[in-house]
Amino acid sequence: MMDIWEKTLEWKPSPQQQELFQSLYKLIIQGNRQLNLTRITNPEDFWEKHLWDSLRGIKFLISQKIGEESVDNQAITIIDLGTGAGSPGIPAAMVVKNCTVNLVDSTKKKINFIDSILPQLQLNNVFATTCRAEEIGRENQHRETYDIALIRAVASVSACAEYTLPLLKQGGLAIIYRGNLTDEEITNTENAVQQLGGVIESIEQFNTPISNSDRHCLYLRKVGSTPAKFPRSVGVPAQRPL
Ligand code: SAH
């Protein structure tokens, strides 16, 4: 897969990172035997959907691009909401230099699984929290404290905006991973983002390198503060999107 990494991300994993990817794959397959963590289990799908797709969304954060001096990021704080079996947060923690990653999911068994694999992966920059996005967004020690919020396959785009933007510092970036994206969804998101103190900075469309599936990433920049009433109570952002 090295040439695909190089061609698509202008980056390639170090031998140590390749080992980490391999270990992650084994641990997820083992975990999946008892816990229903993910439907993505064959090696190619795992590579494409857990690793490549997760990293494609944060391409701009991956240092040591080919031909570039290694750039030390200032400590970057990342939160991954609805992380499931750890995507995109675990691959991010493996490749973004000098970051800390908080993996959040409302399902305790998923967070227990992540807690059980972190020591084996020796990822000491990662934490896992069982919590609803609507709740963590109201906690003082988390609200408006993150540089980057990642969210993939959790809810509608406007609900994802309501989950992520309250957690970001001003200037922070929310990255919403999508498959298809309609014009109507974009219009709804513009409206939601404006109420939440953000703007749509860019939308990237791309195709995955093996199955050629359609993908989008929405990049939302936090430009103001989020009014205290957001995120609304548990369930409301999904049931009554802004
Ligand atoms: N991001 C992962 C998992 C997607 S499945 C991936 O792309 O592979 C969606 C996950 O979001 C599930 O694990 C579910 O428990 C979690 N989830 C759904 N709504 C949530 C909420 N409001 N707050 C926190 N987690 C949520």
Side-chain angles (χ1 to χ4, degrees):
M1 301 302 187
M2 278 305 200
D3 52 331
I4 310 185
W5 285 125
E6 291 196 28
K7 225 186 286 164
T8 54
L9 267 63
E10 298 161 65
W11 166 86
K12 55 182 182 184
S14 66
Q16 196 196 2
Q17 286 165 331
Q18 289 173 58
E19 265 177 43
L20 278 173
F21 294 165
Q22 196 69 37
S23 306
L24 178 64
Y25 177 60
K26 282 193 196 138
L27 290 165
I28 289 185
I29 295 299
Q30 273 170 18
N32 231 21
R33 290 200 193 114
Q34 282 148 27
L35 312 159
N36 188 19
L37 297 166
T38 175
R39 279 173 293 132
I40 303 165
T41 52
N42 88 48
E44 275 196 355
D45 277 356
F46 177 84
W47 181 85
E48 181 175 66
K49 304 204 169 68
H50 277 298
L51 299 176
W52 186 87
D53 189 60
S54 293
L55 297 182
R56 173 60 183 78
I58 53 159
K59 190 177 169 182
F60 67 99
L61 277 178
I62 305 176
S63 51
Q64 283 181 312
K65 287 194 177 174
I66 297 160
E68 255 180 29
E69 289 292 301
S70 132
V71 194
D72 260 335
N73 295 322
Q74 301 220 326
I76 293 182
T77 51
I78 300 177
I79 188 164
D80 177 13
L81 295 166
T83 189
S87 287
I90 292 184
M94 289 172 170
V95 304
V96 178
K97 280 195 153 193
N98 203 8
C99 69
T100 58
V101 180
N102 190 2
L103 304 171
V104 177
D105 203 286
S106 53
T107 308
K108 194 159 179 31
K109 90 170 176 184
K110 297 201 175 171
I111 295 301
N112 285 347
F113 166 74
I114 288 175
D115 273 333
S116 75
I117 66 170
L118 290 178
Q120 297 173 71
L121 295 167
Q122 298 187 321
L123 288 175
N124 40 27
N125 58 336
V126 185
F127 309 88
T129 313
T130 307
C131 197
R132 297 276 312 192
E134 301 92 317
E135 287 167 342
I136 198 164
R138 289 182 167 272
E139 289 176 14
N140 277 341
Q141 73 267 39
H142 293 283
R143 189 179 176 89
E144 311 221 302
T145 64
Y146 292 90
D147 297 304
I148 307 275
L150 308 174
I151 192 159
R152 189 178 85 165
V154 174
S156 68
V157 191
S158 5
C160 288
E162 187 167 347
Y163 294 156
T164 50
L165 283 166
L167 287 155
L168 293 174
K169 294 174 187 165
Q170 285 202 25
L173 194 66
I175 306 174
I176 302 179
Y177 291 66
R178 302 290 296 177
N180 297 331
L181 184 68
T182 63
D183 287 343
E184 193 190 348
E185 283 176 306
I186 297 174
T187 310
N188 293 344
T189 310
E190 271 163 2
N191 173 41
V193 160
Q194 197 202 356
Q195 297 180 59
L196 294 161
V199 291
I200 301 181
E201 184 163 276
S202 60
I203 299 175
E204 284 188 26
Q205 189 281 330
F206 49 89
N207 287 41
T208 59
I210 296 181
S211 60
N212 204 28
S213 319
D214 196 24
R215 288 283 190 281
H216 292 82
C217 275
L218 289 98
Y219 296 87
L220 313 180
R221 182 73 65 185
K222 174 115 163 213
V223 290
S225 62
T226 303
K229 64 181 175 190
F230 299 119
R232 291 168 293 164
S233 311
V234 167
V236 179
Q239 281 152 20
R240 285 194 283 118
L242 288 173

PDB file of all heavy atoms in Angstrom, residues 80-96:
ATOM      1  N   ASP A  80     -12.481  12.798  19.266  1.00  0.00           N
ATOM      2  CA  ASP A  80     -13.178  12.002  18.238  1.00  0.00           C
ATOM      3  C   ASP A  80     -14.508  11.573  18.850  1.00  0.00           C
ATOM      4  O   ASP A  80     -14.529  10.794  19.810  1.00  0.00           O
ATOM      5  CB  ASP A  80     -12.305  10.798  17.869  1.00  0.00           C
ATOM      6  CG  ASP A  80     -12.983   9.877  16.853  1.00  0.00           C
ATOM      7  OD1 ASP A  80     -13.994  10.280  16.251  1.00  0.00           O
ATOM      8  OD2 ASP A  80     -12.480   8.735  16.676  1.00  0.00           O
ATOM      9  N   LEU A  81     -15.601  12.074  18.310  1.00  0.00           N
ATOM     10  CA  LEU A  81     -16.926  11.814  18.892  1.00  0.00           C
ATOM     11  C   LEU A  81     -17.589  10.646  18.184  1.00  0.00           C
ATOM     12  O   LEU A  81     -17.644  10.612  16.957  1.00  0.00           O
ATOM     13  CB  LEU A  81     -17.785  13.076  18.755  1.00  0.00           C
ATOM     14  CG  LEU A  81     -17.274  14.277  19.545  1.00  0.00           C
ATOM     15  CD1 LEU A  81     -17.980  15.554  19.096  1.00  0.00           C
ATOM     16  CD2 LEU A  81     -17.461  14.072  21.034  1.00  0.00           C
ATOM     17  N   GLY A  82     -18.089   9.689  18.949  1.00  0.00           N
ATOM     18  CA  GLY A  82     -18.706   8.492  18.359  1.00  0.00           C
ATOM     19  C   GLY A  82     -17.632   7.659  17.678  1.00  0.00           C
ATOM     20  O   GLY A  82     -17.754   7.252  16.526  1.00  0.00           O
ATOM     21  N   THR A  83     -16.574   7.380  18.417  1.00  0.00           N
ATOM     22  CA  THR A  83     -15.375   6.766  17.833  1.00  0.00           C
ATOM     23  C   THR A  83     -15.561   5.288  17.474  1.00  0.00           C
ATOM     24  O   THR A  83     -14.819   4.742  16.670  1.00  0.00           O
ATOM     25  CB  THR A  83     -14.189   6.949  18.796  1.00  0.00           C
ATOM     26  OG1 THR A  83     -12.995   6.549  18.171  1.00  0.00           O
ATOM     27  CG2 THR A  83     -14.366   6.122  20.083  1.00  0.00           C
ATOM     28  N   GLY A  84     -16.545   4.606  18.070  1.00  0.00           N
ATOM     29  CA  GLY A  84     -16.775   3.190  17.760  1.00  0.00           C
ATOM     30  C   GLY A  84     -15.552   2.358  18.105  1.00  0.00           C
ATOM     31  O   GLY A  84     -15.091   2.343  19.244  1.00  0.00           O
ATOM     32  N   ALA A  85     -14.980   1.692  17.103  1.00  0.00           N
ATOM     33  CA  ALA A  85     -13.767   0.897  17.339  1.00  0.00           C
ATOM     34  C   ALA A  85     -12.503   1.762  17.237  1.00  0.00           C
ATOM     35  O   ALA A  85     -11.406   1.227  17.137  1.00  0.00           O
ATOM     36  CB  ALA A  85     -13.709  -0.250  16.351  1.00  0.00           C
ATOM     37  N   GLY A  86     -12.658   3.090  17.231  1.00  0.00           N
ATOM     38  CA  GLY A  86     -11.483   3.965  17.292  1.00  0.00           C
ATOM     39  C   GLY A  86     -11.182   4.765  16.044  1.00  0.00           C
ATOM     40  O   GLY A  86     -10.088   5.327  15.909  1.00  0.00           O
ATOM     41  N   SER A  87     -12.161   4.879  15.137  1.00  0.00           N
ATOM     42  CA  SER A  87     -11.892   5.654  13.906  1.00  0.00           C
ATOM     43  C   SER A  87     -12.714   6.926  13.878  1.00  0.00           C
ATOM     44  O   SER A  87     -13.902   6.875  14.194  1.00  0.00           O
ATOM     45  CB  SER A  87     -12.253   4.848  12.670  1.00  0.00           C
ATOM     46  OG  SER A  87     -11.310   3.843  12.479  1.00  0.00           O
ATOM     47  N   PRO A  88     -12.113   8.012  13.474  1.00  0.00           N
ATOM     48  CA  PRO A  88     -10.737   8.179  12.982  1.00  0.00           C
ATOM     49  C   PRO A  88      -9.680   8.466  14.055  1.00  0.00           C
ATOM     50  O   PRO A  88      -8.507   8.634  13.738  1.00  0.00           O
ATOM     51  CB  PRO A  88     -10.860   9.395  12.040  1.00  0.00           C
ATOM     52  CG  PRO A  88     -12.098  10.122  12.418  1.00  0.00           C
ATOM     53  CD  PRO A  88     -12.956   9.222  13.236  1.00  0.00           C
ATOM     54  N   GLY A  89     -10.036   8.462  15.346  1.00  0.00           N
ATOM     55  CA  GLY A  89      -9.116   8.960  16.377  1.00  0.00           C
ATOM     56  C   GLY A  89      -7.845   8.158  16.588  1.00  0.00           C
ATOM     57  O   GLY A  89      -6.780   8.735  16.797  1.00  0.00           O
ATOM     58  N   ILE A  90      -7.937   6.800  16.534  1.00  0.00           N
ATOM     59  CA  ILE A  90      -6.707   6.026  16.811  1.00  0.00           C
ATOM     60  C   ILE A  90      -5.683   6.186  15.681  1.00  0.00           C
ATOM     61  O   ILE A  90      -4.517   6.504  15.945  1.00  0.00           O
ATOM     62  CB  ILE A  90      -7.017   4.539  17.133  1.00  0.00           C
ATOM     63  CG1 ILE A  90      -7.751   4.460  18.478  1.00  0.00           C
ATOM     64  CG2 ILE A  90      -5.741   3.705  17.164  1.00  0.00           C
ATOM     65  CD1 ILE A  90      -8.043   3.043  18.966  1.00  0.00           C
ATOM     66  N   PRO A  91      -6.087   6.012  14.400  1.00  0.00           N
ATOM     67  CA  PRO A  91      -5.096   6.278  13.349  1.00  0.00           C
ATOM     68  C   PRO A  91      -4.517   7.702  13.443  1.00  0.00           C
ATOM     69  O   PRO A  91      -3.315   7.902  13.245  1.00  0.00           O
ATOM     70  CB  PRO A  91      -5.888   6.077  12.047  1.00  0.00           C
ATOM     71  CG  PRO A  91      -6.959   5.088  12.426  1.00  0.00           C
ATOM     72  CD  PRO A  91      -7.342   5.451  13.842  1.00  0.00           C
ATOM     73  N   ALA A  92      -5.361   8.683  13.819  1.00  0.00           N
ATOM     74  CA  ALA A  92      -4.863  10.062  13.962  1.00  0.00           C
ATOM     75  C   ALA A  92      -3.771  10.111  15.032  1.00  0.00           C
ATOM     76  O   ALA A  92      -2.697  10.692  14.832  1.00  0.00           O
ATOM     77  CB  ALA A  92      -6.012  11.008  14.319  1.00  0.00           C
ATOM     78  N   ALA A  93      -4.033   9.449  16.172  1.00  0.00           N
ATOM     79  CA  ALA A  93      -3.054   9.468  17.274  1.00  0.00           C
ATOM     80  C   ALA A  93      -1.739   8.812  16.864  1.00  0.00           C
ATOM     81  O   ALA A  93      -0.681   9.140  17.386  1.00  0.00           O
ATOM     82  CB  ALA A  93      -3.635   8.748  18.483  1.00  0.00           C
ATOM     83  N   MET A  94      -1.814   7.885  15.906  1.00  0.00           N
ATOM     84  CA  MET A  94      -0.603   7.176  15.486  1.00  0.00           C
ATOM     85  C   MET A  94       0.273   7.997  14.540  1.00  0.00           C
ATOM     86  O   MET A  94       1.448   7.704  14.375  1.00  0.00           O
ATOM     87  CB  MET A  94      -0.982   5.857  14.789  1.00  0.00           C
ATOM     88  CG  MET A  94      -1.539   4.834  15.762  1.00  0.00           C
ATOM     89  SD  MET A  94      -2.170   3.392  14.862  1.00  0.00           S
ATOM     90  CE  MET A  94      -2.471   2.264  16.223  1.00  0.00           C
ATOM     91  N   VAL A  95      -0.321   9.000  13.895  1.00  0.00           N
ATOM     92  CA  VAL A  95       0.478   9.716  12.887  1.00  0.00           C
ATOM     93  C   VAL A  95       0.629  11.215  13.131  1.00  0.00           C
ATOM     94  O   VAL A  95       1.541  11.821  12.564  1.00  0.00           O
ATOM     95  CB  VAL A  95      -0.076   9.516  11.455  1.00  0.00           C
ATOM     96  CG1 VAL A  95      -0.184   8.044  11.102  1.00  0.00           C
ATOM     97  CG2 VAL A  95      -1.399  10.195  11.257  1.00  0.00           C
ATOM     98  N   VAL A  96      -0.233  11.815  13.924  1.00  0.00           N
ATOM     99  CA  VAL A  96      -0.089  13.269  14.146  1.00  0.00           C
ATOM    100  C   VAL A  96       0.879  13.461  15.302  1.00  0.00           C
ATOM    101  O   VAL A  96       0.660  12.945  16.399  1.00  0.00           O
ATOM    102  CB  VAL A  96      -1.450  13.936  14.473  1.00  0.00           C
ATOM    103  CG1 VAL A  96      -1.271  15.417  14.738  1.00  0.00           C
ATOM    104  CG2 VAL A  96      -2.442  13.710  13.337  1.00  0.00           C
TER     105      VAL A  96
END
